[in-house]
Amino acid sequence: MKYYIIAGEASGDLHGSNLIKALYQQDTKAEIRFWGGDLMQQAGGTLAKHYRDLAFMGFIEVVFNLKTILSNIKFCKKDIESFAPDALIFIDYPGFNMRIAQWAKTKGIPTHYYISPQIWAWKENRIKAIKRDFDQLYVILPFEKEFYEQKHHFPVHFVGHPLIDAIHSRQTLDKATFIAQNQLEDKPIIAVLPGSRKQEITKMLGLMLSVADIFKDYQFVIAGAPSQPKEFYQSFLQNKNVHFVANQTYDLLSHASAALVTSGTATLETALFKVPEVVCYKGSWASYQIAKRIITLKYISLVNLIMDAPVVTELIQNDCNTQKLTQELQKILEPAHREKLMQQYNELENKLGGLGASEKTAQLIVRSLNSERL
């Protein structure tokens, strides 16, 4: 059978790559075409569009790039029609994917949403479009099944979180090799994860590194995003206590004593690696003013949302400053705080459903397509 997958970000590329591997296991004759990144390309199939050409963040930024977005939508529809897939699989990226799904439904293409949009956070009225345009929904957070089925009477599959699979299957360099290969110092590491989008990194990284001179017993190591060249980070590497590694986030987290992380999937990845973290977010003034009037959640990090408690500190907008970053980083480096945090991280992992998200999703997709053919 033929599968067309659309992932628009680095996290989608990671989960898409594991889904592709699982689809090939379930369907040995699978033909796969996708929007994604390097990891999905390595897993197999044919790349139609790289996610680095799609990444726009914030309300204002999207408006300024509307022409490019509309052009991508037009190309995507034409490419899908040309490929004629048996199933169209969407991975997160709701602004784009939901528009394509609405069109695809009119063409009779089976639609599957893996890692559904976070309508429990904002734009809950999207539930009408989801019910109308998607045949199957695969959710990865434990509270999402209750949200969709009990509140909105829409059956979904809870498959567990694919990050557990990705982390469990990793091959990590030992610390000595990691330090030697990246010309790092022989002292404890504080990982800095500023995101994957250019606008996000530009906004956050300088602020996150403003504490580097205060913690001289540690080295700060930036996790370079696969979508950005090293040259982009060059201006942030003037401090001798700041280092850089490219495409080695999991190795970095494996050996980090603590981390500064922008909001998003990375907050959960860091917790699953059992690394104490401070979550940082600071958007443009206009985007933040709009967002805070729409989003009514108590927390911005996935860790706190899943646990429904302030497990990790979140420094948002004006609270995200050098003074508070220093205070919170000092706190999470204390052994007593770390021990308490590890207990909460273990509880978090138990809530996420264990291994096998990619395999479960692939099985369900292939099974639904086979049943449609009977």
Side-chain angles (χ1 to χ4, degrees), residues 72-190:
N72 285 334
I73 289 172
K74 183 178 179 181
F75 168 76
C76 186
K77 291 177 180 178
K78 186 176 180 180
D79 197 55
I80 291 169
E81 283 193 304
S82 177
F83 185 65
D86 296 291
L88 189 51
I89 304 169
F90 304 92
I91 301 179
D92 201 2
Y93 202 53
F96 185 90
N97 276 337
M98 290 186 68
R99 292 190 66 167
I100 299 298
Q102 182 178 3
W103 165 85
K105 194 67 175 177
T106 67
K107 300 293 182 180
I109 304 171
T111 51
H112 299 256
Y113 212 151
Y114 177 43
I115 310 179
S116 61
Q118 297 176 347
I119 64 170
W120 39 265
W122 70 304
K123 292 190 176 181
E124 192 169 341
N125 61 346
R126 281 178 164 175
I127 186 63
K128 295 177 183 177
I130 288 173
K131 286 183 173 182
R132 181 191 68 215
D133 298 332
F134 294 98
D135 298 311
Q136 303 287 340
L137 209 62
Y138 310 94
V139 300
I140 64 172
L141 299 172
F143 59 79
E144 289 180 318
K145 187 172 177 65
E146 179 181 345
F147 171 84
Y148 280 107
E149 295 189 341
Q150 295 188 18
K151 186 172 183 180
H152 292 293
H153 312 291
F154 184 60
V156 301
H157 307 280
F158 172 60
V159 294
H161 206 292
L163 274 180
I164 296 177
D165 291 343
I167 290 170
H168 187 267
S169 63
R170 76 193 190 277
Q171 293 182 329
T172 305
L173 292 175
D174 64 86
K175 189 170 185 179
T177 303
F178 177 67
I179 287 174
Q181 282 189 1
N182 292 286
Q183 299 178 311
L184 303 180
E185 299 175 70
D186 187 18
K187 59 183 182 180
I189 292 170
I190 294 176

Side-chain angles (χ1 to χ4, degrees), residues 39-72:
L39 295 176
M40 291 175 74
Q41 199 161 17
Q42 291 164 17
T46 303
L47 175 68
K49 177 81 75 170
H50 200 289
Y51 71 78
R52 72 168 69 94
D53 301 324
L54 311 174
F56 304 110
M57 64 174 290
F59 301 95
I60 305 302
E61 292 82 0
V62 166
V63 171
F64 284 130
N65 290 282
L66 190 57
K67 184 177 179 180
T68 301
I69 293 168
L70 293 175
S71 175
N72 285 334

Side-chain angles (χ1 to χ4, degrees), residues 291-308:
K292 76 176 185 178
R293 286 163 173 77
I294 298 173
I295 301 172
T296 57
L297 296 174
K298 288 189 290 184
Y299 309 108
I300 65 166
S301 71
L302 282 171
V303 175
N304 292 347
L305 284 168
I306 294 165
M307 295 295 287
D308 194 25

Side-chain angles (χ1 to χ4, degrees), residues 216-280:
K216 293 188 180 296
D217 292 336
Y218 295 83
Q219 58 184 325
F220 286 68
V221 183
I222 302 167
S227 56
Q228 306 299 337
K230 183 178 180 180
E231 291 74 27
F232 172 69
Y233 296 90
Q234 209 59 50
S235 63
F236 299 102
L237 300 175
Q238 307 306 314
N239 189 318
K240 291 182 179 179
N241 201 30
V242 176
H243 305 271
F244 174 87
V245 298
N247 305 326
Q248 295 181 76
T249 301
Y250 280 10
D251 286 323
L252 174 59
L253 288 173
S254 295
H255 303 304
S257 299
L260 303 177
V261 189
T262 53
S263 63
T265 305
T267 64
L268 186 56
E269 288 177 305
T270 303
L272 291 174
F273 272 96
K274 307 299 190 292
V275 179
E277 65 182 298
V278 179
V279 177
C280 316

